[in-house]
Amino acid sequence: MLACALAILRGMTVLVTGGAGYIGSHVARLLLERGSKVVIADDLSTGIPSRVENLEHVALDLAAHDAVETIRSIIRAHSVDSVIHLAARKKVGESVDLPEWYYKQNIGGLANLLEAMKAENVNRLVFSSSAATYGMPDVAACSEDMICQPINPYGETKLVGEWLARAAGRAWGLRVVNLRYFNVAGAGWDDLADTAVANLIPIAFAALKAGKAPIVFGGDYPTADGSCVRDYVHVHDLADAHLSALEYLGRDERKFDTFNVGTGQGSSVFEVLDEIRRVTGINFDKVVEPRRAGDPPSLCADVSRINSELGWHAKKNLAEIVESAWAAIS
Ligand code: WQD
């Protein structure tokens, strides 16, 4: 990172909402490593207390009725000048069953946060968005200007969150960067493993540790090997993208507010499982079951914008993602 960018980070105090989560804890630790001050707001409903040990942490549900005042007091007490907002509900299936709760939590929480930021004159926000905003696009790589058609309430709340932040920008000058995460995995530090068994790599590891073979949801997709293709990005690279976004918010000339965060390279489920065989040394069987509803055959990022505008590139590949994820739970 350029010396001037590092200098900017060193002078910052950043509120990280969701900082006890898998991704949020990586963002918080990298900010501290680069010299920023950090305060975390997390209700610990899914976050892990050990991830915020010895850090400034306030237990807070951003969607609570009194959250605005609590956030304002955090901002004043710590002289917060920027916010990275990751706190949200993110289970796709749960969002289908509980759409009202997802909108209250994800959009209500963001609305409270923005109200508090406006009241305290804090106008820099990095918003954790998602590739789920794209839905099931029929393209080799998603670009940020594509029409977004999310296919579940979780993805809808991420897109609506982007719209809300943009409206705040027009209304009172909020500076926002929306980061659309593709498939995040790996561990930047061994104590920050993804412990939520909710995505392919941790699910596969959990199956192996239980003496079972991982299950592939569908082997008959119109892809090279018949299994779904995704863009897997290392969580440490993703955390670094948040710091690049903070630096970008300091620029007065900013052409865009939304950036994909991925590698630009796709990996199939079969390829991920081959990597898991190599890393674990467990030669498990290939078990293919019917397709899972709502899975697009391929979802990969066009990363040209974040590469050129923020100067950010993913540094770690699939092998490093799988190796670091396995090391963190072994
Ligand atoms: C990846 C691929 C599965 C488990 C979700 C969210 C997205 C983002 C990342 C937050 C798919 C296949 C999985 C298994 C399998 N989250 N799979 N066997 O669905 O691409 O994206 O998490 O922003 O918003 O939608 O991730 O890890 O669930 O699945 O075959 O046991 O692995 O079918 O093709 P997904 P995933």
Side-chain angles (χ1 to χ4, degrees), residues 129-144:
S129 189
S130 169
T133 54
Y134 293 114
M136 293 184 80
D138 186 16
V139 293
C142 300
S143 68
E144 294 88 349

Side-chain angles (χ1 to χ4, degrees), residues 114-307:
L114 293 177
E115 186 178 333
M117 289 174 70
K118 179 183 176 184
E120 297 298 332
N121 300 310
V122 175
N123 74 346
R124 297 185 184 189
L125 172 72
V126 179
F127 175 58
S128 166
S129 189
S130 169
T133 54
Y134 293 114
M136 293 184 80
D138 186 16
V139 293
C142 300
S143 68
E144 294 88 349
D145 292 333
M146 266 174 59
I147 301 287
C148 291
Q149 295 176 302
I151 58 171
N152 52 64
Y154 163 72
E156 292 168 1
T157 65
K158 288 301 182 181
L159 185 59
V160 171
E162 292 181 11
W163 295 345
L164 174 52
R166 189 170 289 173
R170 293 187 181 121
W172 53 271
L174 176 73
R175 296 180 173 207
V176 63
V177 166
N178 305 301
L179 295 180
R180 290 181 179 165
Y181 304 171
F182 279 71
N183 288 61
V184 191
W189 291 268
D190 281 354
D191 63 328
L192 297 184
D194 180 3
T195 53
V197 186
N199 293 106
L200 174 62
I201 292 172
I203 290 172
F205 287 156
L208 294 176
K209 286 195 177 269
K212 297 175 184 165
I215 293 169
V216 177
F217 296 143
D220 58 350
Y221 283 96
T223 60
D225 65 13
S227 66
C228 288
V229 174
R230 294 289 182 273
D231 187 331
Y232 295 90
V233 58
H234 196 290
V235 62
H236 191 276
D237 282 337
L238 175 67
D240 190 49
H242 289 73
L243 276 63
S244 299
L246 278 180
E247 187 272 328
Y248 182 74
L249 287 171
R251 299 184 211 166
D252 289 330
E253 294 306 313
R254 299 183 316 282
K255 282 166 58 179
F256 304 106
D257 60 9
T258 301
F259 297 86
N260 289 332
V261 189
T263 65
Q265 301 298 317
S267 300
S268 74
V269 176
F270 289 143
E271 287 170 333
V272 171
L273 295 186
D274 284 344
E275 206 55 52
I276 291 176
R277 284 188 191 89
R278 178 187 69 79
V279 169
T280 62
I282 304 171
N283 190 22
F284 53 87
D285 295 336
K286 186 187 278 190
V287 177
V288 182
E289 292 193 356
R291 296 179 177 188
R292 181 176 72 172
D295 274 333
S298 181
L299 198 63
C300 293
D302 172 347
V303 291
S304 53
R305 180 184 289 182
I306 195 170
N307 292 166

Side-chain angles (χ1 to χ4, degrees), residues 14-21 23-25 27-28 31 38-43 60-64 67 71 80 82-90 102-117 122 124-130 154 157-158 160-162 164-165 174-181 238 242-243 245-246 249:
V14 186
L15 168 60
V16 179
T17 74
I23 299 171
S25 56
V27 171
L31 281 166
V38 171
V39 54
I40 289 164
D42 194 304
D43 66 1
L60 172 64
D61 172 2
L62 293 174
I71 301 165
V80 168
S82 305
V83 178
I84 298 181
H85 179 47
L86 298 108
R89 306 294 164 189
K90 60 157 281 190
Y102 262 68
Y103 273 82
K104 279 175 75 172
Q105 286 282 297
N106 292 359
I107 302 303
L110 175 60
N112 286 342
L113 176 65
L114 293 177
E115 186 178 333
M117 289 174 70
V122 175
R124 297 185 184 189
L125 172 72
V126 179
F127 175 58
S128 166
S129 189
S130 169
Y154 163 72
T157 65
K158 288 301 182 181
V160 171
E162 292 181 11
L164 174 52
L174 176 73
R175 296 180 173 207
V176 63
V177 166
N178 305 301
L179 295 180
R180 290 181 179 165
Y181 304 171
L238 175 67
H242 289 73
L243 276 63
L246 278 180
L249 287 171

